[in-house]
């Protein structure tokens, strides 16, 4: 284990080889769960295994499909004809852009032009590979002028010959923000840079390349008296984050090439862990003053906090500890169990913005 942890490529190994459930796969791809379900419906991904999750007294055993992390990471590379930006920026409640597509065996075949788009080269380069390299896949359909190749065979060949690489993580920041009205809006920042303050009194910042339309929409959401709430942020290098309010746009930088880089900021003391699911929201939980026993079925956090559930034989509805969220800036949730001290940035239960 120690030797494995010393490997510099450990994040890439985990990102590439750990199987993912549907919700995890949607986060890895940077899309809503409903969009990922469309990917599966179209036959672009298929489960490689399943796992049974026992919810004991609530719902019984549920079978969850698992998907290959490498296939998920490669999806944007091997499906270059899809407008992935439109999929990733689809607003909550809107129909998925993929819903208009029909499952077809033709999705599994590619022309030379699409092979070139996968490898980001010209069509002539692919023609040259086919002519010079004897192990290039044989056509499975089409004509001599327009041959068609099996997509999986082509992808395997491109990987084996280092013509494409497996992305080691998303190169975008996916945001779900809500303004004063409470409606959720999805945004994307390319080539993101996230700076998290070490002190709860400091300020976190996130910057990335944006479209003018998204930049205007973000500025409008964050322009209110209390700014915007960040319901969910997924970015490279950190787990899903959420901020209950005071998110604002602090800078818009136009590069010489015309690109627009946007910078958001918020008080570090309000930063929290985002709830599971694409809608996000700040995780709030009770702090367990007595550690949970073997019979406890409540959701547990590494900090010592639990989320009590009514069917838990140990806690159930009788437990009413102080509600909190995972605060940033070095303030640990376990501090709450020592004398009930409330960290800076505390918000009482029920007072979080909608």
């Amino acid at each position: 284990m120690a030797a494995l942890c010393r490997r510099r490529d450990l994040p890439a190994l985990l990102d590439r080889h750990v199987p993912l459930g549907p919700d995890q796969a949607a986060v890895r791809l940077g899309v809503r769960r409903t969009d990922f379900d469309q990917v599966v419906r179209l036959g672009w991904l298929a489960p490689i295994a399943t796992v049974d999750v026992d919810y004991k007294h609530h719902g019984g055993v549920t079978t969850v499909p698992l998907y290959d992390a490498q296939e998920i990471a490669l999806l944007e590379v091997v499906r270059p004809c899809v407008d992935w930006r439109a999929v990733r920026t689809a607003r909550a409640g809107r129909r998925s852009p993929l819903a208009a597509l029909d499952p077809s065996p033709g999705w599994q075949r590619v022309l030379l032009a699409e092979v070139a788009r996968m490898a980001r080269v010209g069509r002539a380069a692919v023609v040259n590979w086919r002519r010079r390299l004897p192990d290039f896949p044989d056509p499975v359909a089409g004509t001599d002028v327009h041959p068609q190749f099996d997509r999986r065979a082509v992808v395997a060949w491109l990987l084996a010959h280092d013509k494409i690489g497996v992305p080691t993580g998303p190169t975008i920041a996916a945001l779900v923000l809500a303004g004063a009205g409470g409606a959720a809006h999805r945004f994307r920042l390319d080539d993101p840079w996230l700076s998290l303050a070490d002190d709860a009194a400091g300020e976190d910042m996130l910057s990335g390349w944006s479209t003018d339309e998204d930049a205007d929409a973000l500025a409008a959401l964050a322009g209110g008296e209390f700014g915007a709430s960040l319901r969910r942020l997924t970015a490279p290098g950190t787990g899903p984050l959420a901020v209950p309010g005071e998110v604002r746009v602090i800078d818009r930088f136009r590069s010489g090439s015309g690109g627009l880089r946007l910078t958001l900021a918020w008080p570090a003391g309000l930063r929290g862990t985002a709830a599971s699911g694409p809608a996000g929201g700040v995780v709030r939980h009770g702090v367990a003053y007595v550690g949970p026993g073997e019979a406890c079925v409540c959701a547990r956090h590494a900090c010592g906090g639990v989320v009590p559930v009514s069917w838990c034989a140990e806690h159930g509805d009788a437990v009413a500890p102080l509600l909190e969220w995972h605060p940033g800036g070095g303030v640990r949730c376990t501090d709450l169990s020592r004398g009930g001290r409330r960290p800076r940035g505390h918000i009482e239960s029920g007072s979080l913005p909608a």
Side-chain angles (χ1 to χ4, degrees), residues 72-142:
I72 296 168
L74 278 169
L75 194 59
E76 188 172 359
V77 177
V78 303
R79 302 283 175 177
C81 294
V82 176
D83 187 350
W84 290 104
R85 179 173 178 79
V87 177
R88 289 193 172 101
T89 57
R91 301 289 190 256
R94 295 288 182 88
R95 187 168 181 255
S96 171
L98 299 176
L101 303 178
D102 294 323
S104 169
W107 286 115
Q108 304 306 327
R109 297 193 293 268
V110 292
L111 297 169
L112 290 174
E114 190 169 3
V115 178
R117 292 187 63 182
M118 290 183 194
R120 297 186 178 184
V121 297
R123 186 180 182 277
V126 181
V127 172
N128 190 42
W129 296 340
R130 186 187 176 201
R131 182 187 304 117
R132 295 180 56 192
L133 302 175
D135 61 339
F136 192 90
D138 295 325
V140 295

Side-chain angles (χ1 to χ4, degrees), residues 12 48 62 74 99 105 154 164 194 196 206 220 224 228 231 240 290 302 307 314 319 324:
I48 57 170
T62 299
L74 278 169
V154 166
I164 61 173
L194 177 64
L196 299 178
L206 169 70
R231 298 189 60 82
V290 179
V307 182
E314 184 175 348
V319 174
E324 257 292 345

Side-chain angles (χ1 to χ4, degrees), residues 20 91 119 126 136 147 176 179-180 222 224-225 241 287 331 347:
L20 303 177
R91 301 289 190 256
V126 181
F136 192 90
V176 180
E225 182 178 357
L241 302 177
V287 174
V331 181
I347 295 180

Side-chain angles (χ1 to χ4, degrees), residues 209-221:
W209 298 103
S210 171
T211 64
D212 288 272
E213 180 182 359
D214 280 356
D216 291 341
L218 278 165
L221 280 175

